[in-house]
């Protein structure tokens, strides 16, 4: 499994016409020791500045002319990055390479030194990403206001300067009261892996009160409006009783229903009569067509009779027309042509015509009888149509004059009553809303009368976590030969270490420095043990040498005010030299570890003696000196 976090592999300070000042660091324990004023604290300040600190490194005589800081970082999974920052500049450039591999044409990312939750292009977000932390939120105050997790929140848990190392404050706290809630939230987040993203939040009291007052004003305005509407609606229903109104509406609805049923019945009767009428009219049309045809046939019969009668009487008239041609053979009637070419006898013709006439007369009689029957039927049908039409008109008149007026009047009355009923319902709704708003009004007024609220937060660091963390601290103290060590615990309320029954802050400066160092190193070891988020980096300035001890060393006086034994100091180095290689501890000290332990760490010694080993962090001008990490033996 990949280990998240990073360590510092080199820090380099450069300037125009200046030799580079550099130290190379490794995983595990790194000790930079030597006399005071050799640049150890300056290196601490450089690292803090590169991690987004707002304070520039304090200028020392040796640093004049140096302007650019390079910080080479390496993730525990192998990737390398280099941070570059000009002293006094608010931007930090990030290269995806080691310092020595940076080229002029190489791409880099420009980041802001200051954390910004709304702009991810800042060094804090970058360093948090190397640690595996993303989009975490912390509590800012007792109201539960949220702020984004910044890498600067981690600095307090991984970097202790020479003032903080001996502070009476618990290492997680800066001593600034307004920051205490956030610092406690950061500590909880690192130890539990759970941030405060889902925590409750109370508005700022002034904003909250202003919002409540605005809400109260809104509710008061609504109440006034609703009461005015209620008064107007009460006036509109004067003389009406809600129960009687409902009964009358039910009666009217029943009347409308009956009326509608009656109209439907009449419309059904009308439809049946209309169907009968249409059937008879269709029959009339058919009969008129037959009558027309039979009358034409009658005319044909009469014409045939006239023709036959003409033939019967023709012989008599023809005999008197000598100048005429014979109608049969077409020969002229004269004295010279008296014989005719007749193929039949006129007597037979007359008989045939007479028989044909009789036959046609018989058919004509039948035809006229049929015509009479059809005309009678047609007349009857016309009478039926008139009767049916009259029935349809009577039904329509009944609907229009009797049923429809009842429906119209009933509906008008019912619409009027329904409108009144709607007003009753609106009044009921308004009364209910007025009651609800009056309840809200009382709640808001009660809320306004309260004092400023604070969240009652539950400490999410369980007793089990505190006990496990205290166990890590005790292991360290045991390894450092802490005198008369019997127990280690943590006060649940203020996160104060209690060692052998005595609170950390009540110890002397020397032991306080040891306990503060143990506190932050234990945080790193605990998070590594449980796979929690931590850079895996601890930087301590003078955990073994108090300020008074350094003064004594400078003046070559005895160290009578030393709080801790030399044996314990060397045990401190020996124990930390055995750290796993998935963490890095950097210690700046005046005290040198013994030779047997030096070989198990990355040890850098500043002699403060020109010509003897390495003078300090920054090379001395015009003097050729060794810049090796190792001291001259």
């Amino acid at each position: 499994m990949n280990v998240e976090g990073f360590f510092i592999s080199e820090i380099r300070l450069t300037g125009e016409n200046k030799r580079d000042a550099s130290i190379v660091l490794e995983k595990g324990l790194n000790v930079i020791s030597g006399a005071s004023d050799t640049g150890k604290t300056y290196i601490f300040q450089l690292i803090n500045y590169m991690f987004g600190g707002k304070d520039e490194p304090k200028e020392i005589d040796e640093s004049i002319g140096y302007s650019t800081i390079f910080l080479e970082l390496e993730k525990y999974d192998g990737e390398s990055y280099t941070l570059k920052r000009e002293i006094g500049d608010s931007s930090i450039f990030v290269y995806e390479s080691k310092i020595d591999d940076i080229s002029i044409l190489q791409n880099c990312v420009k980041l802001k030194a200051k954390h910004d939750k709304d702009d991810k292009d800042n060094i804090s977000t970058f360093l948090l990403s190397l640690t595996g932390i993303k989009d975490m939120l912390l509590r800012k105050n007792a109201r539960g206001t949220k702020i984004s997790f910044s890498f600067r929140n981690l600095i307090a848990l991984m970097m202790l300067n020479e003032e903080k190392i001996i502070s009476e404050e618990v290492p997680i706290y800066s001593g600034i009261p307004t920051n205490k809630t956030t610092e406690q939230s950061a500590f909880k987040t690192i130890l539990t892996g759970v941030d405060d993203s889902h925590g409750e939040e109370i508005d700022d009291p002034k904003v909250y009160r202003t919002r409540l007052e605005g809400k109260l004003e809104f509710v008061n305005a609504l109440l006034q409006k609703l009461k005015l509407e209620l008064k107007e609606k009460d006036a509109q229903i004067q003389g009406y009783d809600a129960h009687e109104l409902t009964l009358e509406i039910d009666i009217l609805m029943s009347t409308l229903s009956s009326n509608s049923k009656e109209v439907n019945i009449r419309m059904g009767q009308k439809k049946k009569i209309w169907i009968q009428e249409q059937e008879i009219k269709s029959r009339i049309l058919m009969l008129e067509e037959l009558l027309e045809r039979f009358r034409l046939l009658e005319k044909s019969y009469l014409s045939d009779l006239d023709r036959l009668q003409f033939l019967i009487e023709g012989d008599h008239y023809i005999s008197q027309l000598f100048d005429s041609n014979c109608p049969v053979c077409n020969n002229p009637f004269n004295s010279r042509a008296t014989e005719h070419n007749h193929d039949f006898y006129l007597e037979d013709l007359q008989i045939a015509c007479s028989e044909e006439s009789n036959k046609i007369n018989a058919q004509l009689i039948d035809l006229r009888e049929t015509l009479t029957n059809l005309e009678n039927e047609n007349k009857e049908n016309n009478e039926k149509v008139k009767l049916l039409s009259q029935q349809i008109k009577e039904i329509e008149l009944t609907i229009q004059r009797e049923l429809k007026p009842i429906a119209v009047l009933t509906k008008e009355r019912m619409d009027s009553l329904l409108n009144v009923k709607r007003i009753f319902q609106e009044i009921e709704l308004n009364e209910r809303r007025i009651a609800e708003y009056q309840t809200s009004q009382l709640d808001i007024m009660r809320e306004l009368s309260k004092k400023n609220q604070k969240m009652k937060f539950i400490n999410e660091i369980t007793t089990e976590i505190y006990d496990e963390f205290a166990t890590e601290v005790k292991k360290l103290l045991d390894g450092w030969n802490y005198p008369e060590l019997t127990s280690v615990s943590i006060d649940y309320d203020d996160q104060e270490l209690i060692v052998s029954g005595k609170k950390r802050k009540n110890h002397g400066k020397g032991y306080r420095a040891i306990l503060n160092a143990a506190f932050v190193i234990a945080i790193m070891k605990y998070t590594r043990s449980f796979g929690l988020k931590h850079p895996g980096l601890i930087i301590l300035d003078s955990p073994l040498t108090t300020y008074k001890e350094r003064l004594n060393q400078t003046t070559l006086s005895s160290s009578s005010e030393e709080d801790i034994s030399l044996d314990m100091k060397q045990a401190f180095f020996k124990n930390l030299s055995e750290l796993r290689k998935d963490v890095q501890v950097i210690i700046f000290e005046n005290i040198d570890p013994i030779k047997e332990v030096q070989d198990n760490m990355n040890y850098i010694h500043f002699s403060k003696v020109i010509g003897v080993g390495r003078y300090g962090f920054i090379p001395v001008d015009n003097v050729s000196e060794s810049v090796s990490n190792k001291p001259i033996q």
Side-chain angles (χ1 to χ4, degrees):
M1 182 178 68
N2 289 336
V3 178
E4 292 183 303
F6 60 90
F7 63 94
I8 299 172
S9 51
E10 182 180 355
I11 181 163
R12 185 181 299 180
L13 183 65
T14 67
E16 189 174 355
N17 300 321
K18 290 286 185 178
R19 283 187 293 159
D20 292 350
S22 169
I23 56 169
V24 176
L25 302 170
E26 300 174 4
K27 289 184 282 188
L29 178 61
N30 297 263
V31 176
I32 299 94
S33 72
S36 299
D37 299 326
T38 53
K40 300 190 300 296
T41 297
Y42 187 74
I43 297 172
F44 185 99
Q45 293 172 356
L46 288 175
I47 295 172
N48 183 55
Y49 191 58
M50 294 303 288
F51 283 163
K54 64 179 179 179
D55 296 326
E56 299 176 15
K58 292 181 180 179
E59 189 176 274
I60 57 178
D61 292 341
E62 293 84 354
S63 68
I64 297 173
Y66 287 91
S67 60
T68 306
I69 311 167
F70 292 90
L71 186 68
E72 185 178 287
L73 305 178
E74 188 173 334
K75 292 182 66 177
Y76 286 102
D77 61 10
E79 296 177 70
S80 293
Y81 299 90
T82 295
L83 311 183
K84 174 187 174 184
R85 184 175 186 181
E86 299 293 331
I87 297 176
D89 195 353
S90 61
S91 298
I92 299 176
F93 296 87
V94 178
Y95 298 84
E96 291 188 28
S97 67
K98 294 181 177 295
I99 297 175
D100 292 332
D101 295 333
I102 295 175
S103 63
I104 297 176
L105 300 178
Q106 185 174 349
N107 291 331
C108 64
V109 178
K110 182 180 180 180
L111 302 176
K112 292 184 294 187
K114 185 177 180 180
H115 179 79
D116 186 345
K117 67 181 180 64
D118 298 320
D119 185 355
K120 302 300 183 183
D121 293 333
N122 60 77
I123 192 63
S124 171
T125 301
F126 172 74
L127 294 174
L128 287 175
S129 70
L130 299 185
T131 310
I133 294 175
K134 182 181 179 182
D135 299 331
M136 282 187 170
L137 296 179
L138 304 177
R139 282 185 287 115
K140 181 182 179 182
N141 50 41
R143 298 190 307 276
T145 305
K146 308 293 189 304
I147 60 171
S148 60
F149 194 107
S150 166
F151 193 75
R152 299 306 300 176
N153 298 122
L154 272 176
I155 293 296
L157 307 179
M158 56 181 276
M159 292 183 69
L160 299 181
N161 60 24
E162 57 185 352
E163 291 84 18
K164 190 69 180 291
I165 197 75
I166 60 173
S167 173
E168 292 185 6
E169 287 284 349
V170 177
I172 67 171
Y173 297 128
S174 63
I176 303 173
T178 55
N179 293 344
K180 188 170 183 178
T181 302
T182 301
E183 291 160 352
Q184 186 176 20
S185 178
F187 179 59
K188 180 268 299 184
T189 298
I190 292 302
L191 279 194
T192 64
V194 180
D195 69 344
D196 289 306
S197 300
H198 303 292
E200 295 183 33
E201 188 170 340
I202 296 177
D203 290 331
D204 181 280
K206 292 181 180 178
V207 175
Y208 183 61
R209 187 174 184 84
T210 301
R211 186 177 294 131
L212 284 177
E213 289 172 348
K215 188 175 181 181
L216 181 61
E217 184 179 349
F218 176 72
V219 169
N220 288 339
L222 277 178
L223 279 172
Q224 185 176 357
K225 180 182 178 183
L226 288 172
K227 289 177 179 179
L228 181 61
E229 289 179 359
L230 190 62
K231 185 177 180 180
E232 293 174 351
K233 293 182 186 300
D234 281 334
Q236 294 174 8
I237 60 170
Q238 290 298 320
Y240 289 96
D241 179 84
H243 179 67
E244 293 179 357
L245 182 68
T246 301
L247 290 177
E248 186 175 354
I249 289 174
D250 291 341
I251 293 170
L252 291 173
M253 290 183 70
S254 177
T255 301
L256 274 178
S257 178
S258 299
N259 184 270
S260 177
K261 288 179 181 178
E262 185 65 26
V263 170
N264 289 336
I265 291 171
R266 297 301 176 92
M267 291 300 292
Q269 293 173 347
K270 177 183 173 182
K271 184 176 180 180
K272 288 181 180 179
I273 294 172
W274 181 83
I275 291 171
Q276 292 177 12
E277 182 186 34
Q278 296 307 308
E279 290 175 351
I280 294 172
K281 284 183 177 181
S282 296
R283 178 65 181 171
I284 289 172
L285 289 174
M286 185 185 71
L287 291 175
E288 287 179 349
E289 182 68 22
L290 286 174
L291 285 170
E292 182 66 24
R293 292 180 181 180
F294 286 168
R295 287 190 185 104
L296 289 175
L297 182 59
E298 182 184 26
K299 288 181 181 180
S300 177
Y301 283 165
L302 291 174
S303 175
D304 289 343
L305 288 174
D306 289 342
R307 179 173 58 77
L308 291 172
Q309 187 64 33
F310 174 76
L311 290 176
I312 292 171
E313 295 176 356
D315 184 62
H316 170 72
Y317 293 106
I318 288 171
S319 61
Q320 298 177 15
L321 299 174
F322 295 103
D323 295 330
S324 300
N325 292 333
C326 175
V328 177
C329 62
N330 202 32
N331 288 321
F333 294 105
N334 52 43
S335 57
R336 295 183 297 276
T338 56
E339 292 186 7
H340 298 272
N341 185 21
H342 291 168
D343 295 328
F344 56 87
Y345 295 99
L346 288 176
E347 184 178 351
D348 294 336
L349 176 63
Q350 289 178 354
I351 292 170
C353 287
S354 178
E355 289 178 354
E356 182 68 19
S357 294
N358 291 336
K359 182 180 177 181
I360 291 172
N361 279 324
Q363 291 175 337
L364 183 61
I365 291 169
D366 290 340
L367 177 62
R368 283 176 176 169
E369 184 178 353
T370 300
L371 281 172
T372 300
N373 291 336
L374 290 175
E375 287 172 351
N376 290 336
E377 183 182 353
N378 210 17
K379 184 177 180 182
E380 289 176 3
N381 285 336
N382 282 319
E383 291 298 327
K384 288 180 181 180
V385 166
K386 287 180 181 180
L387 180 61
L388 292 174
S389 296
Q390 183 62 33
Q391 290 176 354
I392 289 173
K393 288 180 180 178
E394 288 175 358
I395 291 173
E396 289 176 344
L397 286 174
T398 300
I399 292 173
Q400 292 295 325
R401 292 178 181 178
E402 297 178 15
L403 300 177
K404 191 173 181 180
I406 292 173
V408 171
L409 293 174
T410 303
K411 192 172 184 307
E412 287 178 354
R413 176 61 178 170
M414 191 169 70
D415 286 344
S416 175
L417 295 180
L418 286 174
N419 185 57
V420 175
K421 185 176 181 179
R422 178 182 56 80
I423 295 173
F424 270 105
Q425 292 171 340
E426 289 175 354
I427 289 173
E428 183 181 354
L429 177 61
N430 277 12
E431 288 175 343
R432 197 159 56 241
R433 291 172 66 188
I434 286 172
E436 290 172 356
Y437 282 125
Q438 284 175 337
T439 301
S440 297
Q441 184 185 49
L442 290 174
D443 290 341
I444 295 169
M445 293 173 69
R446 194 179 297 114
E447 197 71 19
L448 284 170
S449 65
K450 291 181 181 179
K451 294 181 179 179
N452 294 339
Q453 287 184 306
K454 292 184 178 181
M455 295 294 292
K456 293 182 180 179
F457 289 107
I458 299 174
N459 190 344
E460 296 174 5
I461 305 177
T462 63
T463 303
E464 182 181 2
I465 292 175
Y466 275 127
D467 290 344
E468 290 170 345
F469 177 66
T471 299
E472 289 289 349
V473 175
K474 188 174 185 301
K475 287 179 183 178
L476 288 169
L477 296 180
D478 278 329
W480 299 349
N481 293 338
Y482 195 91
E484 300 178 3
L485 181 64
T486 58
S487 64
V488 176
S489 61
I490 297 182
D491 188 287
Y492 190 79
D493 294 322
D494 59 8
Q495 289 72 51
E496 181 64 88
L497 272 179
I498 303 174
V499 180
S500 300
K502 185 178 180 180
K503 286 195 173 184
R504 177 203 55 87
K505 65 182 179 181
N506 296 329
H507 286 76
K509 290 182 181 179
Y511 283 103
R512 210 159 51 229
I514 285 290
L515 295 177
N516 287 341
F519 193 99
V520 295
I521 294 174
I523 291 174
M524 179 179 68
K525 289 173 67 66
Y526 178 87
T527 54
R528 276 292 190 259
S529 298
F530 291 93
L532 299 169
K533 309 298 183 184
H534 191 284
L537 171 63
I538 297 292
I539 305 174
L540 306 175
D541 190 359
S542 306
L544 303 177
T545 308
T546 66
Y547 180 66
K548 286 185 178 181
E549 288 182 83
R550 292 198 297 276
L551 285 178
N552 290 335
Q553 289 178 10
T554 303
T555 60
L556 301 179
S557 62
S558 65
S559 56
S560 60
E561 296 186 51
E562 185 178 57
D563 285 330
I564 57 177
S565 67
L566 182 60
D567 175 66
M568 183 177 173
K569 293 178 181 180
Q570 293 303 331
F572 173 85
F573 285 129
K574 184 177 184 303
N575 176 264
L576 293 181
S577 69
E578 298 170 353
L579 285 170
R580 302 184 323 187
K581 295 304 180 181
D582 61 350
V583 297
Q584 183 183 57
V585 175
I586 302 171
I587 296 175
F588 300 96
E589 254 304 339
N590 288 37
I591 298 172
D592 298 326
I594 60 176
K595 178 67 175 63
E596 293 77 20
V597 180
Q598 290 178 14
D599 295 335
N600 294 327
M601 66 179 74
N602 180 37
Y603 175 53
I604 304 170
H605 179 74
F606 296 154
S607 69
K608 202 181 179 181
V609 178
I610 296 176
V612 178
R614 180 166 180 173
Y615 179 86
F617 172 61
I618 300 175
V620 179
D621 290 338
N622 303 319
V623 175
S624 176
E625 63 169 324
S626 170
V627 292
S628 169
N629 284 347
K630 301 298 181 181
I632 300 296
Q633 300 298 325

